Amino acid sequence: MTTSTHPLVTEAHRLAAELLAPSAPRVDQDVVPAAHIEEIRRSGILGVSAPRESGGAGAPDGVAREVAEILAGACCSTWFVQTQHHTPVRMLARAAPGLAVRERLLRPLATGELLAGIAYAHVRAHPRVPVRATAERGGVRFDGTVPWYTGWGLNDVMLLAGVTDSDEVVFAFADAREQPGLRASAPMRLVALTAARTVSLTLDGLQVPEEAVVLRTAREEFARVDLPRSTNTTPAVFGLAYAALDLLGATPAELEAADGLRARLDEVRRRAYRLADHAVPHEHLEERLALRARAYELLRAATTAAVVAGGGRATSVDSPAQRLAREAVFLLIQGQTAPVREAHLAALAAV
């Protein structure tokens, strides 16, 4: 994995070495501590992609990806909570200057004063509409169920989306707390990342004022913009794979396996990030999907190698090898869309 000299990459390495990796076994069996999020706030990482004029770092996408790799490899649960924050920040940064919600929230989110979560993946379920948005006097009413919401109890605000009867997607900010019209389930028990405090949300007439709306867009336009974003490989895949390979090296056989897998991983990472930076996001979609499937194949191989090398020790609940293997299973479906699922299954069928 390449390492830049950007200050936030240095901060990510420090957090990983001093806080996240040492406590990852305990966090995996419990919950992401508020203290972890506080340290990430202090580091400036929550503003990695936010505009400088709003208090963020304005760092290049390559820096944001490397920070994500480092955090995910050290403690995937903590990475998963904080990664939700960056989408609302980017959406606010792209909004028109002077928009009420932009003026109210961009700076506190960019500086880390507030932490945001996201509640919009359900929009991809078309033609089903899990959350309906309805215009009401002075604002928008949301009804339905958000199947997955991560960071409950840690986030201050959420970016919520619903679809109107006219097939328009409405994005708005709401407080991330129980209130009239919003109720959270008990935290979900998952095979991995249970610590990330994921719940489902029941919306029964949640009222959001018009000044909290950040975007209205046709559902077809949302799908068009979302497609290339979902076909790119998430940096967490590379972060976990490199962390697994770092566990190898006690024997010549382990070194040989690690070196071979690392070389292949480096090449896929290089090609995937080159496409992520491509000037035309909607080009090379088949190649993006193929690289995403290949990256998951290498992640599976790397985590399996770590388990094999660990032997019986790898079956312990506090073994980093088995934790990384379980986290790799989670990443298989994180951000999954129908095209991603189909491409991945086709790649597996060809193995």
Side-chain angles (χ1 to χ4, degrees):
M1 180 169 58
T2 58
T3 301
S4 75
T5 56
H6 193 281
L8 288 183
V9 172
T10 301
E11 275 296 290
H13 278 300
R14 181 189 65 80
L15 285 171
E18 297 179 3
L19 177 65
L20 301 184
S23 60
R26 173 179 55 82
V27 170
D28 176 59
Q29 298 299 311
D30 192 9
V31 295
V32 173
H36 277 27
I37 302 303
E38 182 57 32
E39 286 301 312
I40 291 174
R41 291 182 197 266
R42 291 175 183 169
S43 73
I45 285 173
L46 292 179
V48 59
S49 300
R52 289 182 179 273
E53 60 270 23
S54 300
D61 288 345
V63 169
R65 289 193 293 257
E66 191 162 359
V67 167
E69 289 179 4
I70 295 164
L71 297 185
C75 179
C76 200
S77 293
T78 301
W79 161 79
F80 195 51
V81 170
Q82 67 82 43
T83 200
Q84 317 292 312
H85 177 88
H86 302 292
T87 296
V89 170
R90 290 190 182 97
M91 185 173 287
L92 285 169
R94 291 194 298 265
L99 187 71
V101 70
R102 186 184 196 273
E103 297 302 310
R104 178 170 64 89
L105 289 180
L106 180 54
R107 178 167 288 276
L109 290 178
T111 60
E113 178 185 344
L114 297 177
L115 181 70
I118 56 175
Y120 75 82
H122 50 270
V123 175
R124 296 168 175 153
H126 179 79
R128 291 189 299 109
V129 181
V131 176
R132 179 68 69 186
T134 306
E136 293 198 344
R137 177 176 295 182
V140 182
R141 170 185 172 128
F142 290 91
D143 294 277
T145 300
V146 176
W148 302 87
Y149 180 80
T150 294
W152 185 255
L154 292 171
N155 297 328
D156 300 295
V157 296
M158 71 173 77
L159 177 63
L160 172 64
V163 181
T164 69
D165 287 337
S166 58
D167 219 23
E168 180 182 58
V169 185
V170 180
F171 289 87
F173 282 88
D175 289 340
R177 58 175 176 80
E178 291 206 347
Q179 54 189 291
L182 190 160
R183 185 176 71 256
S185 72
M188 297 180 186
R189 296 294 300 173
L190 306 171
V191 68
L193 277 72
T194 286
R197 308 193 191 196
T198 298
V199 299
S200 63
L201 302 176
T202 299
L203 308 176
D204 183 15
L206 176 66
Q207 302 283 339
V208 177
E210 184 62 34
E211 55 266 26
V213 174
V214 64
L215 178 68
R216 297 175 186 272
T217 184
R219 190 204 54 77
E220 287 187 354
E221 176 62 13
F222 165 81
R224 187 189 70 81
V225 172
D226 186 58
L227 180 60
R229 182 168 52 210
S230 63
T231 57
N232 288 325
T233 309
T234 174
V237 169
F238 298 113
L240 253 70
Y242 286 122
L245 296 180
D246 286 343
L247 297 177
L248 304 177
T251 67
E254 289 182 27
L255 281 172
E256 182 179 359
D259 289 345
L261 286 168
R262 193 182 305 276
R264 282 174 273 169
L265 194 64
D266 288 345
E267 175 61 16
V268 171
R269 178 182 183 270
R270 183 190 65 78
R271 292 173 59 194
Y273 287 171
R274 176 179 56 81
L275 286 177
D277 290 332
H278 193 277
V280 185
H282 289 82
E283 289 185 354
H284 308 292
L285 292 183
E286 289 188 5
E287 184 179 359
R288 294 173 196 264
L289 286 168
L291 285 169
R292 177 168 173 148
R294 177 60 173 156
Y296 283 127
E297 181 183 342
L298 290 170
L299 172 60
R300 184 174 67 254
T303 54
T304 300
V307 170
V308 170
R313 298 186 306 277
T315 62
S316 171
V317 294
D318 60 357
S319 161
Q322 63 80 28
R323 173 173 52 81
L324 290 168
R326 287 188 290 104
E327 290 169 349
V329 170
F330 182 91
L331 291 184
L332 287 174
I333 54 87
Q334 188 258 327
Q336 186 188 70
T337 61
V340 168
R341 182 185 305 112
E342 291 168 6
H344 199 168
L345 288 172
L348 289 170
V351 171

